[in-house]
Amino acid sequence: METSAVSQRWELKRNCSVTPRQLAGIYAALCCGSLAVALVCVWQGAWFVLVFAVLELSAVGAAFLMYARHATDAEYVVLAPDSLVVEVVQGTIVKKFSFDPRRTRVEVADGRSGLVVLEGCGARVEVGRFLTPWKRRELAQQLKRALAGGFNAHQ
């Protein structure tokens, strides 16, 4: 959480050990190694090894692409004196929600997901996908405190 005199900001991101750029490098190295072995086999007369190498690299490439597409998923919550803005990034889809901080309700949803629910002005958004259950409760408490006393007292 970042705090300043003007606003409070929460960045909730996926915990990724490899960035998409690093993943591309890893995949390129894997392709080079696998194709080098396959080409040696082709040179020795075992051409079918190349077919299996291409199939393997295609499957691994598809899995890496799915991982990379969602590696930068995140949720941003920004509280300013006159607005609460939530931005949810999932792959190439970015959804933005605006709330009136004085009329926004915060709760932890019941059920399996247990996500933090922000509701107000006819809009509803769930955040906290990348947090553990106890961190979600902590986030909900921080948001409730910030909404109750943080900025409303300044107006």
Side-chain angles (χ1 to χ4, degrees):
M1 176 182 85
E2 298 173 12
T3 306
S4 71
V6 176
S7 66
Q8 289 184 350
R9 179 178 172 95
W10 292 266
E11 290 186 14
L12 312 170
K13 295 182 179 182
R14 202 177 274 279
N15 185 12
C16 295
S17 58
V18 178
T19 67
R21 182 173 294 197
Q22 291 170 328
L23 192 62
I26 291 168
Y27 183 65
L30 180 66
C31 286
C32 289
S34 187
L35 290 176
V37 169
L39 289 175
V40 168
C41 291
V42 167
W43 186 53
Q44 297 293 321
W47 59 268
F48 57 89
V49 173
L50 181 61
V51 173
F52 285 109
V54 169
L55 287 173
E56 170 205 12
L57 293 174
S58 298
V60 171
F64 279 8
L65 182 62
M66 288 175 48
Y67 170 85
R69 178 171 272 163
H70 292 284
T72 57
D73 286 1
E75 301 164 338
Y76 304 97
V77 180
V78 180
L79 176 61
D82 59 345
S83 68
L84 174 66
V85 178
V86 179
E87 188 174 280
V88 179
V89 180
Q90 292 179 314
T92 58
I93 300 169
V94 178
K95 296 179 184 175
K96 200 168 193 174
F97 303 87
S98 291
F99 298 94
D100 180 349
R102 294 172 298 276
R103 293 180 179 85
T104 302
R105 194 177 60 171
V106 178
E107 61 185 42
V108 177
D110 293 334
R112 282 186 14 199
S113 72
L115 296 175
V116 177
V117 177
L118 301 171
E119 194 169 23
C121 303
R124 174 186 164 100
V125 65
E126 294 178 338
V127 296
R129 286 167 187 78
F130 313 119
L131 300 176
T132 61
W134 67 272
K135 280 286 196 183
R136 289 178 190 153
R137 288 189 294 276
E138 184 179 314
L139 172 66
Q141 290 171 351
Q142 289 177 2
L143 286 168
K144 285 178 184 179
R145 270 190 305 242
L147 289 170
F151 290 108
N152 295 337
H154 291 57
Q155 296 180 357

